[in-house]
């Protein structure tokens, strides 16, 4: 098919590459403007732009698409380019801009979105993190026909799989990116036969964008909740647990068997200290100090003291 692709991060770039490999005519790509990234905050092109340029696909990067809005000139230029490209279908994956009505109406066969959840669960910006945080047993991708709502469109294709017990956002992202890339190719190949199915009204949840402040570890929470949050917030923002004025990161933990006053060091194990939580306890197994690398919590945290009976503070 003659396609335009709209997306920004690595999750989307994998889908773009799959569409190109499948032989679709990708006549253009839309992605977010180049922005500072990394430790040096150097201006970088998005993964989608990098993939498109490598494949010789023309790229546009409007800061907004709403006609008459703040970026009206850019929106008008984008509209003219999309009309010139004349795609049959617009494929969208983690683009980062809301598509206004004029975009949704432009391709004759619609706009298809790759959404990394089993809709209607986890509509919104952070479905990968929120499903881990919530302790979901299953997740997957939904290919849906976009409409004016927030991930409310009719579903064309959905496929589930089980989360691993030690799943992190990093590992789950990669699994979902590979599945989503495969499913969008399958959906386009079967587009004439797929029957749009309205999302059920029951089971709707929203995956709010991750805020850096959410990484703050609260020892008064149940151990199981903290453990899931550490995995959900890996790689961003990580578990932040200041100790003796030092911004320590806690990346990984396992459930312990002790109990006590939240934040109290109950024991030291080969892989790290065991801390009491609001319910149960956690053995911290991977941590990081400022300027250092992730490592075994036993080695990273030993120099900071933390004798049995002390409080993490």
């Amino acid at each position: 098919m003659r396609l335009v692709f709209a997306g920004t991060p690595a999750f989307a770039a994998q889908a773009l590459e799959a569409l190109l490999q499948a032989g679709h005519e990708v006549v253009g790509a839309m992605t977010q403007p180049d922005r500072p990234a990394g430790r040096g905050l150097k201006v970088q092109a998005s993964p989608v732009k990098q993939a498109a340029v490598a494949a010789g696909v023309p790229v546009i990067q409007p800061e907004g698409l709403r006609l008459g809005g703040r970026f009206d000139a850019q929106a008008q230029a984008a509209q003219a380019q999309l009309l010139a490209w004349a795609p049959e279908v617009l494929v969208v994956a983690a683009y980062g801009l809301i598509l206004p009505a004029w975009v949704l109406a432009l391709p004759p066969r619609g706009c298809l979105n790759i959404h990394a959840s089993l809709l209607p669960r986890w509509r919104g910006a952070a479905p990968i993190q929120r499903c881990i945080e919530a302790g979901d047993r299953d997740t997957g991708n939904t290919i849906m026909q976009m409409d004016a709502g927030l991930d409310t469109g009719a579903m064309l294709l959905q496929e589930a799989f089980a989360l691993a017990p030690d799943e992190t956002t990093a590992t789950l992202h990669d699994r979902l990116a590979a599945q989503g890339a495969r499913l969008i190719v399958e959906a386009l190949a079967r587009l004439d036969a797929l029957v749009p199915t309205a999302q059920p009204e029951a089971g709707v949840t929203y995956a709010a964008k991750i805020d850096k402040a959410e990484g703050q570890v609260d020892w008064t929470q149940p151990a199981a909740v903290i453990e899931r949050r550490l995995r959900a917030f890996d790689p961003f923002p990580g578990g932040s647990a200041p100790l003796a004025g030092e911004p320590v990161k806690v990346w990984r933990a396992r459930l312990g068997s002790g109990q006590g006053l939240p934040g109290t060091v109950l024991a030291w194990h080969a892989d790290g200290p065991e801390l009491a939580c609001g319910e149960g306890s956690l053995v911290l197994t991977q941590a990081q100090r400022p300027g250092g690398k992730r490592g075994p919590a036993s080695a990273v945290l030993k120099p900071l003291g933390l004798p049995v009976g002390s409080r993490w503070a």
Side-chain angles (χ1 to χ4, degrees):
M1 288 187 181
R2 185 178 176 89
L3 308 177
V4 167
F5 186 87
T8 298
F11 178 92
Q14 190 161 340
L16 171 58
E17 290 167 350
L19 292 168
L20 290 164
Q21 291 170 8
H24 290 285
E25 183 187 5
V26 182
V27 294
M30 297 199 302
T31 190
Q32 290 281 299
D34 299 356
R35 292 199 169 98
R39 287 194 173 185
L41 292 179
K42 294 182 179 179
V43 175
Q44 296 182 20
S46 73
V48 163
K49 181 178 179 179
Q50 294 177 42
V53 170
V57 175
V59 176
I60 58 173
Q61 298 174 269
E63 293 186 77
L65 291 169
R66 187 165 65 87
L67 297 173
R70 178 184 175 191
F71 301 107
D72 179 63
Q74 293 187 44
Q76 289 190 43
Q79 183 180 45
Q81 184 60 78
L82 283 170
L83 287 168
W85 280 336
E88 295 175 78
V89 174
L90 178 68
V91 175
V92 184
Y95 177 34
L97 285 180
I98 294 174
L99 300 187
W102 71 261
V103 177
L104 297 174
L106 191 147
R109 306 201 67 177
C111 300
L112 302 189
N113 183 46
I114 308 168
H115 187 77
S117 82
L118 301 175
L119 291 171
R121 187 161 176 79
W122 302 128
R123 294 173 179 172
I128 300 176
Q129 295 93 330
R130 298 304 181 191
C131 80
I132 296 175
E133 182 185 19
D136 290 2
R137 294 184 178 183
D138 302 288
T139 190
N141 275 280
T142 304
I143 307 298
M144 65 172 220
Q145 188 83 51
M146 296 181 72
D147 62 14
L150 177 63
D151 300 324
T152 56
M155 302 180 295
L156 296 175
L157 198 59
Q158 190 175 82
E159 184 177 281
F161 61 81
L163 274 71
D166 60 349
E167 201 83 68
T168 67
T169 286
T171 60
L172 186 55
H173 168 279
D174 291 350
R175 296 175 70 192
L176 284 165
Q179 183 195 52
R182 173 174 55 80
L183 287 181
I184 190 61
V185 171
E186 180 181 339
L188 289 173
R190 298 170 50 199
L191 194 54
D192 290 332
L194 293 176
V195 178
T197 303
Q199 294 185 35
E201 295 183 6
V204 174
T205 58
Y206 290 92
K209 184 178 180 181
I210 302 298
D211 187 284
K212 189 174 182 180
E214 293 183 74
Q216 184 70 41
V217 176
D218 178 1
W219 302 116
T220 66
Q221 292 185 320
V225 171
I226 299 172
E227 189 274 336
R228 292 198 304 266
R229 286 170 67 88
L230 292 178
R231 291 187 287 110
F233 299 156
D234 181 0
F236 175 84
S240 178
L243 179 61
E246 186 175 298
V248 172
K249 287 279 191 181
V250 177
W251 289 106
R252 203 66 55 83
R254 61 178 173 83
L255 296 179
S257 57
Q259 57 184 2
L261 187 66
T264 301
V265 179
L266 301 176
W268 272 86
H269 302 270
D271 47 357
E274 181 175 357
L275 270 75
C277 302
E279 292 178 13
S281 64
L282 280 180
V283 178
L284 311 187
T285 60
Q286 190 179 85
Q288 183 178 13
R289 295 179 65 185
K293 296 181 178 180
R294 291 193 193 195
S298 55
V300 171
L301 298 177
K302 272 290 187 184
L304 296 176
L306 286 176
V308 173
S310 66
R311 296 283 304 281
W312 185 294

